[in-house]
Amino acid sequence: MLRAYGDGSLFGEPYGEGPVRVIWLHGWARRGQDFAAAANELARRGVASVALDLPGFGASPAPSSAGGARRYAELVMPVLREIGEGPFVLVGHSFGGTVACVLAADHPEFVRSLVLTGAPLLRSPSSSSSPKIYRVLRWLHARGIVRDARMETARQKYGSSDYRHATGVMRDVLVISVNESYEDELARLDVPVTLLWGEADREVPLDVATRASALLSTTHTLQSLQGIGHLLPSEAPDELANVVGALI
């Protein structure tokens, strides 16, 4: 059953009994339910956890202002204090992985270990640029020549699926997030890090994890799962539970 945290600013699903040892942070346009199978398996082993719905997803209301993973980390940190003293094993998938990375870098006293999967920690050169007509329309819109309605039509035609489906402040959050990179946070991490990746992840390829691991000075491991794509928490929940359980 979902529980409200932070006076209703965030909602999350508790699993198991006793002190919370694991916090799960989901990806963009997903929700904490993605971790249900892994969390239930850990609960059977006596490990309690909470899977949060990040602001703007699932049951949690959108943030009042836009910001990327660094802003989201600021919003999540008070909830971690409310949930317990920690330290927690912090598990982050995709966008939630970037939030987890920032949290661990800024508040290592709350993090026992960090597990990241499919997280866009480093920006990758785009394999293709936006169509020329779209770039021209954006230039004209920025100067007030093209109206908002015309620009929105172009966004719906040329924008990514995530961008087309995001509205209001969440579209601004997305734009900020995809332009962030976390070299600084990776270099500052002082907790053990496990990079658990789907070998077949096409959204955030394994190369991102390889490059990110090269920036880590803390104890870390990189594991890849054959035949698993981007949605590792739901595609390989038993493997995820085993990795997280070994860190308790």
Side-chain angles (χ1 to χ4, degrees), residues 24 42 45 89 91 113-116 193-197 221 223 225 232 236-248:
W24 313 89
L42 287 183
R45 304 179 194 180
V89 176
V91 185
S113 190
L114 181 63
V115 179
L116 303 174
V193 179
T194 300
L195 298 158
L196 182 65
W197 238 255
T221 61
Q223 303 177 42
L225 300 180
L232 186 148
D238 290 343
E239 290 87 343
L240 179 58
N242 288 336
V243 167
V244 174
L247 300 171
I248 305 300

PDB file of all heavy atoms in Angstrom, residues 24 42 45 89 91 113-116 193-197 221 223 225 232 236-248:
ATOM      1  N   TRP A  24      14.599   2.373  -3.408  1.00  0.00           N
ATOM      2  CA  TRP A  24      14.560   2.163  -4.859  1.00  0.00           C
ATOM      3  C   TRP A  24      14.099   3.443  -5.553  1.00  0.00           C
ATOM      4  O   TRP A  24      13.076   4.023  -5.183  1.00  0.00           O
ATOM      5  CB  TRP A  24      13.588   1.044  -5.213  1.00  0.00           C
ATOM      6  CG  TRP A  24      13.684  -0.220  -4.413  1.00  0.00           C
ATOM      7  CD1 TRP A  24      13.032  -0.495  -3.242  1.00  0.00           C
ATOM      8  CD2 TRP A  24      14.429  -1.403  -4.721  1.00  0.00           C
ATOM      9  NE1 TRP A  24      13.324  -1.766  -2.803  1.00  0.00           N
ATOM     10  CE2 TRP A  24      14.185  -2.354  -3.698  1.00  0.00           C
ATOM     11  CE3 TRP A  24      15.283  -1.756  -5.782  1.00  0.00           C
ATOM     12  CZ2 TRP A  24      14.760  -3.615  -3.694  1.00  0.00           C
ATOM     13  CZ3 TRP A  24      15.847  -3.025  -5.776  1.00  0.00           C
ATOM     14  CH2 TRP A  24      15.596  -3.934  -4.744  1.00  0.00           C
ATOM     15  N   LEU A  42      13.377  -9.532  -1.613  1.00  0.00           N
ATOM     16  CA  LEU A  42      14.192  -9.133  -0.459  1.00  0.00           C
ATOM     17  C   LEU A  42      13.362  -9.177   0.821  1.00  0.00           C
ATOM     18  O   LEU A  42      13.875  -9.548   1.889  1.00  0.00           O
ATOM     19  CB  LEU A  42      14.769  -7.742  -0.674  1.00  0.00           C
ATOM     20  CG  LEU A  42      15.911  -7.632  -1.687  1.00  0.00           C
ATOM     21  CD1 LEU A  42      16.435  -6.208  -1.738  1.00  0.00           C
ATOM     22  CD2 LEU A  42      17.049  -8.587  -1.350  1.00  0.00           C
ATOM     23  N   ARG A  45      13.380 -12.358   2.382  1.00  0.00           N
ATOM     24  CA  ARG A  45      14.655 -12.635   3.052  1.00  0.00           C
ATOM     25  C   ARG A  45      14.825 -11.798   4.327  1.00  0.00           C
ATOM     26  O   ARG A  45      15.886 -11.819   4.939  1.00  0.00           O
ATOM     27  CB  ARG A  45      15.816 -12.356   2.109  1.00  0.00           C
ATOM     28  CG  ARG A  45      15.772 -13.115   0.793  1.00  0.00           C
ATOM     29  CD  ARG A  45      16.954 -12.754  -0.088  1.00  0.00           C
ATOM     30  NE  ARG A  45      16.768 -13.212  -1.461  1.00  0.00           N
ATOM     31  CZ  ARG A  45      17.661 -13.017  -2.445  1.00  0.00           C
ATOM     32  NH1 ARG A  45      18.799 -12.395  -2.163  1.00  0.00           N
ATOM     33  NH2 ARG A  45      17.415 -13.442  -3.659  1.00  0.00           N
ATOM     34  N   VAL A  89      21.132   1.029   1.225  1.00  0.00           N
ATOM     35  CA  VAL A  89      21.563   0.659  -0.118  1.00  0.00           C
ATOM     36  C   VAL A  89      20.636   1.420  -1.057  1.00  0.00           C
ATOM     37  O   VAL A  89      19.420   1.248  -1.018  1.00  0.00           O
ATOM     38  CB  VAL A  89      21.468  -0.853  -0.361  1.00  0.00           C
ATOM     39  CG1 VAL A  89      21.839  -1.172  -1.815  1.00  0.00           C
ATOM     40  CG2 VAL A  89      22.385  -1.609   0.590  1.00  0.00           C
ATOM     41  N   VAL A  91      19.331   2.184  -4.709  1.00  0.00           N
ATOM     42  CA  VAL A  91      19.257   1.553  -6.023  1.00  0.00           C
ATOM     43  C   VAL A  91      18.564   2.507  -6.984  1.00  0.00           C
ATOM     44  O   VAL A  91      17.422   2.913  -6.747  1.00  0.00           O
ATOM     45  CB  VAL A  91      18.482   0.220  -5.963  1.00  0.00           C
ATOM     46  CG1 VAL A  91      18.526  -0.481  -7.325  1.00  0.00           C
ATOM     47  CG2 VAL A  91      19.050  -0.691  -4.879  1.00  0.00           C
ATOM     48  N   SER A 113      25.702   1.680   0.240  1.00  0.00           N
ATOM     49  CA  SER A 113      26.219   1.246  -1.045  1.00  0.00           C
ATOM     50  C   SER A 113      25.286   1.767  -2.131  1.00  0.00           C
ATOM     51  O   SER A 113      24.114   2.046  -1.878  1.00  0.00           O
ATOM     52  CB  SER A 113      26.311  -0.282  -1.092  1.00  0.00           C
ATOM     53  OG  SER A 113      27.023  -0.707  -2.231  1.00  0.00           O
ATOM     54  N   LEU A 114      25.810   1.892  -3.336  1.00  0.00           N
ATOM     55  CA  LEU A 114      25.063   2.453  -4.454  1.00  0.00           C
ATOM     56  C   LEU A 114      25.004   1.435  -5.586  1.00  0.00           C
ATOM     57  O   LEU A 114      26.029   0.891  -6.005  1.00  0.00           O
ATOM     58  CB  LEU A 114      25.757   3.732  -4.927  1.00  0.00           C
ATOM     59  CG  LEU A 114      25.139   4.526  -6.081  1.00  0.00           C
ATOM     60  CD1 LEU A 114      23.755   5.054  -5.714  1.00  0.00           C
ATOM     61  CD2 LEU A 114      26.060   5.689  -6.460  1.00  0.00           C
ATOM     62  N   VAL A 115      23.781   1.166  -6.066  1.00  0.00           N
ATOM     63  CA  VAL A 115      23.583   0.267  -7.202  1.00  0.00           C
ATOM     64  C   VAL A 115      22.931   1.071  -8.323  1.00  0.00           C
ATOM     65  O   VAL A 115      21.833   1.618  -8.144  1.00  0.00           O
ATOM     66  CB  VAL A 115      22.710  -0.943  -6.836  1.00  0.00           C
ATOM     67  CG1 VAL A 115      22.502  -1.844  -8.056  1.00  0.00           C
ATOM     68  CG2 VAL A 115      23.335  -1.737  -5.687  1.00  0.00           C
ATOM     69  N   LEU A 116      23.588   1.138  -9.464  1.00  0.00           N
ATOM     70  CA  LEU A 116      23.096   1.912 -10.595  1.00  0.00           C
ATOM     71  C   LEU A 116      22.872   0.980 -11.786  1.00  0.00           C
ATOM     72  O   LEU A 116      23.719   0.123 -12.079  1.00  0.00           O
ATOM     73  CB  LEU A 116      24.101   2.995 -10.982  1.00  0.00           C
ATOM     74  CG  LEU A 116      24.489   3.980  -9.871  1.00  0.00           C
ATOM     75  CD1 LEU A 116      25.608   4.900 -10.347  1.00  0.00           C
ATOM     76  CD2 LEU A 116      23.280   4.780  -9.428  1.00  0.00           C
ATOM     77  N   VAL A 193      30.230   1.165  -5.149  1.00  0.00           N
ATOM     78  CA  VAL A 193      29.317   1.328  -6.286  1.00  0.00           C
ATOM     79  C   VAL A 193      29.265   0.031  -7.093  1.00  0.00           C
ATOM     80  O   VAL A 193      30.296  -0.549  -7.427  1.00  0.00           O
ATOM     81  CB  VAL A 193      29.764   2.479  -7.201  1.00  0.00           C
ATOM     82  CG1 VAL A 193      28.816   2.618  -8.395  1.00  0.00           C
ATOM     83  CG2 VAL A 193      29.854   3.789  -6.433  1.00  0.00           C
ATOM     84  N   THR A 194      28.053  -0.394  -7.399  1.00  0.00           N
ATOM     85  CA  THR A 194      27.840  -1.515  -8.323  1.00  0.00           C
ATOM     86  C   THR A 194      27.104  -0.988  -9.541  1.00  0.00           C
ATOM     87  O   THR A 194      26.025  -0.414  -9.417  1.00  0.00           O
ATOM     88  CB  THR A 194      27.012  -2.638  -7.678  1.00  0.00           C
ATOM     89  OG1 THR A 194      27.700  -3.138  -6.524  1.00  0.00           O
ATOM     90  CG2 THR A 194      26.807  -3.787  -8.665  1.00  0.00           C
ATOM     91  N   LEU A 195      27.704  -1.164 -10.706  1.00  0.00           N
ATOM     92  CA  LEU A 195      27.062  -0.832 -11.976  1.00  0.00           C
ATOM     93  C   LEU A 195      26.532  -2.130 -12.560  1.00  0.00           C
ATOM     94  O   LEU A 195      27.308  -3.004 -12.963  1.00  0.00           O
ATOM     95  CB  LEU A 195      28.070  -0.169 -12.919  1.00  0.00           C
ATOM     96  CG  LEU A 195      28.666   1.159 -12.422  1.00  0.00           C
ATOM     97  CD1 LEU A 195      29.980   1.447 -13.112  1.00  0.00           C
ATOM     98  CD2 LEU A 195      27.693   2.300 -12.645  1.00  0.00           C
ATOM     99  N   LEU A 196      25.216  -2.279 -12.573  1.00  0.00           N
ATOM    100  CA  LEU A 196      24.560  -3.494 -13.056  1.00  0.00           C
ATOM    101  C   LEU A 196      23.793  -3.141 -14.323  1.00  0.00           C
ATOM    102  O   LEU A 196      22.795  -2.404 -14.262  1.00  0.00           O
ATOM    103  CB  LEU A 196      23.624  -4.053 -11.982  1.00  0.00           C
ATOM    104  CG  LEU A 196      22.892  -5.346 -12.325  1.00  0.00           C
ATOM    105  CD1 LEU A 196      23.877  -6.500 -12.496  1.00  0.00           C
ATOM    106  CD2 LEU A 196      21.854  -5.676 -11.252  1.00  0.00           C
ATOM    107  N   TRP A 197      24.233  -3.662 -15.459  1.00  0.00           N
ATOM    108  CA  TRP A 197      23.714  -3.198 -16.745  1.00  0.00           C
ATOM    109  C   TRP A 197      23.159  -4.332 -17.584  1.00  0.00           C
ATOM    110  O   TRP A 197      23.663  -5.462 -17.538  1.00  0.00           O
ATOM    111  CB  TRP A 197      24.845  -2.530 -17.536  1.00  0.00           C
ATOM    112  CG  TRP A 197      24.580  -1.114 -17.921  1.00  0.00           C
ATOM    113  CD1 TRP A 197      24.240  -0.650 -19.162  1.00  0.00           C
ATOM    114  CD2 TRP A 197      24.640   0.028 -17.058  1.00  0.00           C
ATOM    115  NE1 TRP A 197      24.086   0.720 -19.128  1.00  0.00           N
ATOM    116  CE2 TRP A 197      24.329   1.167 -17.845  1.00  0.00           C
ATOM    117  CE3 TRP A 197      24.900   0.213 -15.708  1.00  0.00           C
ATOM    118  CZ2 TRP A 197      24.280   2.453 -17.327  1.00  0.00           C
ATOM    119  CZ3 TRP A 197      24.864   1.489 -15.180  1.00  0.00           C
ATOM    120  CH2 TRP A 197      24.558   2.588 -15.980  1.00  0.00           C
ATOM    121  N   THR A 221      32.261  -2.226  -8.903  1.00  0.00           N
ATOM    122  CA  THR A 221      32.208  -3.369  -9.805  1.00  0.00           C
ATOM    123  C   THR A 221      31.256  -3.047 -10.950  1.00  0.00           C
ATOM    124  O   THR A 221      30.312  -2.268 -10.781  1.00  0.00           O
ATOM    125  CB  THR A 221      31.716  -4.652  -9.100  1.00  0.00           C
ATOM    126  OG1 THR A 221      30.389  -4.435  -8.592  1.00  0.00           O
ATOM    127  CG2 THR A 221      32.634  -5.041  -7.960  1.00  0.00           C
ATOM    128  N   GLN A 223      28.908  -5.147 -13.706  1.00  0.00           N
ATOM    129  CA  GLN A 223      28.367  -6.430 -14.132  1.00  0.00           C
ATOM    130  C   GLN A 223      27.356  -6.199 -15.251  1.00  0.00           C
ATOM    131  O   GLN A 223      26.566  -5.251 -15.185  1.00  0.00           O
ATOM    132  CB  GLN A 223      27.652  -7.134 -12.980  1.00  0.00           C
ATOM    133  CG  GLN A 223      28.507  -7.374 -11.754  1.00  0.00           C
ATOM    134  CD  GLN A 223      27.694  -8.005 -10.631  1.00  0.00           C
ATOM    135  OE1 GLN A 223      26.887  -8.899 -10.855  1.00  0.00           O
ATOM    136  NE2 GLN A 223      27.899  -7.521  -9.410  1.00  0.00           N
ATOM    137  N   LEU A 225      24.361  -8.171 -17.762  1.00  0.00           N
ATOM    138  CA  LEU A 225      23.484  -9.335 -17.861  1.00  0.00           C
ATOM    139  C   LEU A 225      23.131  -9.567 -19.333  1.00  0.00           C
ATOM    140  O   LEU A 225      22.549  -8.691 -19.992  1.00  0.00           O
ATOM    141  CB  LEU A 225      22.215  -9.120 -17.041  1.00  0.00           C
ATOM    142  CG  LEU A 225      22.411  -8.893 -15.531  1.00  0.00           C
ATOM    143  CD1 LEU A 225      21.061  -8.700 -14.853  1.00  0.00           C
ATOM    144  CD2 LEU A 225      23.171 -10.039 -14.901  1.00  0.00           C
ATOM    145  N   LEU A 232      15.876  -3.347 -16.783  1.00  0.00           N
ATOM    146  CA  LEU A 232      16.437  -4.433 -15.983  1.00  0.00           C
ATOM    147  C   LEU A 232      15.650  -4.725 -14.707  1.00  0.00           C
ATOM    148  O   LEU A 232      15.489  -5.892 -14.353  1.00  0.00           O
ATOM    149  CB  LEU A 232      17.908  -4.129 -15.669  1.00  0.00           C
ATOM    150  CG  LEU A 232      18.718  -5.205 -14.963  1.00  0.00           C
ATOM    151  CD1 LEU A 232      20.180  -5.147 -15.398  1.00  0.00           C
ATOM    152  CD2 LEU A 232      18.637  -5.067 -13.442  1.00  0.00           C
ATOM    153  N   ALA A 236      14.906  -8.537 -15.004  1.00  0.00           N
ATOM    154  CA  ALA A 236      15.796  -9.430 -14.248  1.00  0.00           C
ATOM    155  C   ALA A 236      15.711  -9.122 -12.753  1.00  0.00           C
ATOM    156  O   ALA A 236      16.715  -8.808 -12.114  1.00  0.00           O
ATOM    157  CB  ALA A 236      17.230  -9.291 -14.749  1.00  0.00           C
ATOM    158  N   PRO A 237      14.508  -9.212 -12.162  1.00  0.00           N
ATOM    159  CA  PRO A 237      14.352  -8.840 -10.749  1.00  0.00           C
ATOM    160  C   PRO A 237      15.112  -9.750  -9.789  1.00  0.00           C
ATOM    161  O   PRO A 237      15.614  -9.276  -8.756  1.00  0.00           O
ATOM    162  CB  PRO A 237      12.843  -8.931 -10.528  1.00  0.00           C
ATOM    163  CG  PRO A 237      12.349  -9.870 -11.577  1.00  0.00           C
ATOM    164  CD  PRO A 237      13.225  -9.623 -12.766  1.00  0.00           C
ATOM    165  N   ASP A 238      15.213 -11.043 -10.094  1.00  0.00           N
ATOM    166  CA  ASP A 238      15.927 -11.946  -9.196  1.00  0.00           C
ATOM    167  C   ASP A 238      17.410 -11.605  -9.137  1.00  0.00           C
ATOM    168  O   ASP A 238      18.019 -11.603  -8.056  1.00  0.00           O
ATOM    169  CB  ASP A 238      15.746 -13.393  -9.642  1.00  0.00           C
ATOM    170  CG  ASP A 238      14.323 -13.896  -9.425  1.00  0.00           C
ATOM    171  OD1 ASP A 238      13.588 -13.257  -8.644  1.00  0.00           O
ATOM    172  OD2 ASP A 238      13.942 -14.905 -10.046  1.00  0.00           O
ATOM    173  N   GLU A 239      17.995 -11.321 -10.302  1.00  0.00           N
ATOM    174  CA  GLU A 239      19.407 -10.942 -10.335  1.00  0.00           C
ATOM    175  C   GLU A 239      19.635  -9.640  -9.589  1.00  0.00           C
ATOM    176  O   GLU A 239      20.622  -9.480  -8.858  1.00  0.00           O
ATOM    177  CB  GLU A 239      19.889 -10.812 -11.782  1.00  0.00           C
ATOM    178  CG  GLU A 239      19.984 -12.139 -12.518  1.00  0.00           C
ATOM    179  CD  GLU A 239      18.669 -12.543 -13.169  1.00  0.00           C
ATOM    180  OE1 GLU A 239      17.606 -11.980 -12.805  1.00  0.00           O
ATOM    181  OE2 GLU A 239      18.701 -13.437 -14.037  1.00  0.00           O
ATOM    182  N   LEU A 240      18.701  -8.693  -9.759  1.00  0.00           N
ATOM    183  CA  LEU A 240      18.822  -7.424  -9.047  1.00  0.00           C
ATOM    184  C   LEU A 240      18.712  -7.645  -7.542  1.00  0.00           C
ATOM    185  O   LEU A 240      19.499  -7.088  -6.758  1.00  0.00           O
ATOM    186  CB  LEU A 240      17.736  -6.461  -9.524  1.00  0.00           C
ATOM    187  CG  LEU A 240      17.713  -5.078  -8.855  1.00  0.00           C
ATOM    188  CD1 LEU A 240      19.043  -4.342  -9.037  1.00  0.00           C
ATOM    189  CD2 LEU A 240      16.560  -4.230  -9.396  1.00  0.00           C
ATOM    190  N   ALA A 241      17.762  -8.455  -7.117  1.00  0.00           N
ATOM    191  CA  ALA A 241      17.589  -8.741  -5.690  1.00  0.00           C
ATOM    192  C   ALA A 241      18.842  -9.400  -5.117  1.00  0.00           C
ATOM    193  O   ALA A 241      19.261  -9.085  -3.992  1.00  0.00           O
ATOM    194  CB  ALA A 241      16.369  -9.620  -5.471  1.00  0.00           C
ATOM    195  N   ASN A 242      19.455 -10.302  -5.868  1.00  0.00           N
ATOM    196  CA  ASN A 242      20.664 -10.970  -5.383  1.00  0.00           C
ATOM    197  C   ASN A 242      21.815  -9.986  -5.208  1.00  0.00           C
ATOM    198  O   ASN A 242      22.551 -10.052  -4.209  1.00  0.00           O
ATOM    199  CB  ASN A 242      21.080 -12.082  -6.344  1.00  0.00           C
ATOM    200  CG  ASN A 242      20.153 -13.283  -6.294  1.00  0.00           C
ATOM    201  OD1 ASN A 242      19.474 -13.511  -5.285  1.00  0.00           O
ATOM    202  ND2 ASN A 242      20.106 -14.051  -7.362  1.00  0.00           N
ATOM    203  N   VAL A 243      21.974  -9.085  -6.176  1.00  0.00           N
ATOM    204  CA  VAL A 243      23.046  -8.082  -6.075  1.00  0.00           C
ATOM    205  C   VAL A 243      22.819  -7.173  -4.875  1.00  0.00           C
ATOM    206  O   VAL A 243      23.733  -6.910  -4.080  1.00  0.00           O
ATOM    207  CB  VAL A 243      23.136  -7.271  -7.390  1.00  0.00           C
ATOM    208  CG1 VAL A 243      24.001  -6.031  -7.197  1.00  0.00           C
ATOM    209  CG2 VAL A 243      23.691  -8.138  -8.502  1.00  0.00           C
ATOM    210  N   VAL A 244      21.583  -6.681  -4.728  1.00  0.00           N
ATOM    211  CA  VAL A 244      21.284  -5.767  -3.624  1.00  0.00           C
ATOM    212  C   VAL A 244      21.381  -6.505  -2.282  1.00  0.00           C
ATOM    213  O   VAL A 244      21.951  -5.983  -1.309  1.00  0.00           O
ATOM    214  CB  VAL A 244      19.889  -5.146  -3.803  1.00  0.00           C
ATOM    215  CG1 VAL A 244      19.506  -4.295  -2.588  1.00  0.00           C
ATOM    216  CG2 VAL A 244      19.849  -4.292  -5.081  1.00  0.00           C
ATOM    217  N   GLY A 245      20.836  -7.712  -2.221  1.00  0.00           N
ATOM    218  CA  GLY A 245      20.865  -8.465  -0.977  1.00  0.00           C
ATOM    219  C   GLY A 245      22.267  -8.733  -0.472  1.00  0.00           C
ATOM    220  O   GLY A 245      22.500  -8.767   0.747  1.00  0.00           O
ATOM    221  N   ALA A 246      23.211  -8.907  -1.389  1.00  0.00           N
ATOM    222  CA  ALA A 246      24.587  -9.176  -0.991  1.00  0.00           C
ATOM    223  C   ALA A 246      25.269  -7.960  -0.372  1.00  0.00           C
ATOM    224  O   ALA A 246      26.333  -8.092   0.257  1.00  0.00           O
ATOM    225  CB  ALA A 246      25.393  -9.635  -2.211  1.00  0.00           C
ATOM    226  N   LEU A 247      24.647  -6.798  -0.505  1.00  0.00           N
ATOM    227  CA  LEU A 247      25.237  -5.564   0.010  1.00  0.00           C
ATOM    228  C   LEU A 247      24.689  -5.171   1.378  1.00  0.00           C
ATOM    229  O   LEU A 247      25.146  -4.206   1.990  1.00  0.00           O
ATOM    230  CB  LEU A 247      24.980  -4.418  -0.966  1.00  0.00           C
ATOM    231  CG  LEU A 247      25.557  -4.610  -2.376  1.00  0.00           C
ATOM    232  CD1 LEU A 247      25.053  -3.511  -3.308  1.00  0.00           C
ATOM    233  CD2 LEU A 247      27.086  -4.638  -2.331  1.00  0.00           C
ATOM    234  N   ILE A 248      23.686  -5.896   1.853  1.00  0.00           N
ATOM    235  CA  ILE A 248      23.059  -5.558   3.140  1.00  0.00           C
ATOM    236  C   ILE A 248      23.997  -5.916   4.301  1.00  0.00           C
ATOM    237  O   ILE A 248      24.527  -7.008   4.359  1.00  0.00           O
ATOM    238  CB  ILE A 248      21.709  -6.290   3.310  1.00  0.00           C
ATOM    239  CG1 ILE A 248      20.790  -5.981   2.127  1.00  0.00           C
ATOM    240  CG2 ILE A 248      21.062  -5.914   4.629  1.00  0.00           C
ATOM    241  CD1 ILE A 248      20.469  -4.534   1.958  1.00  0.00           C
TER     242      ILE A 248
END
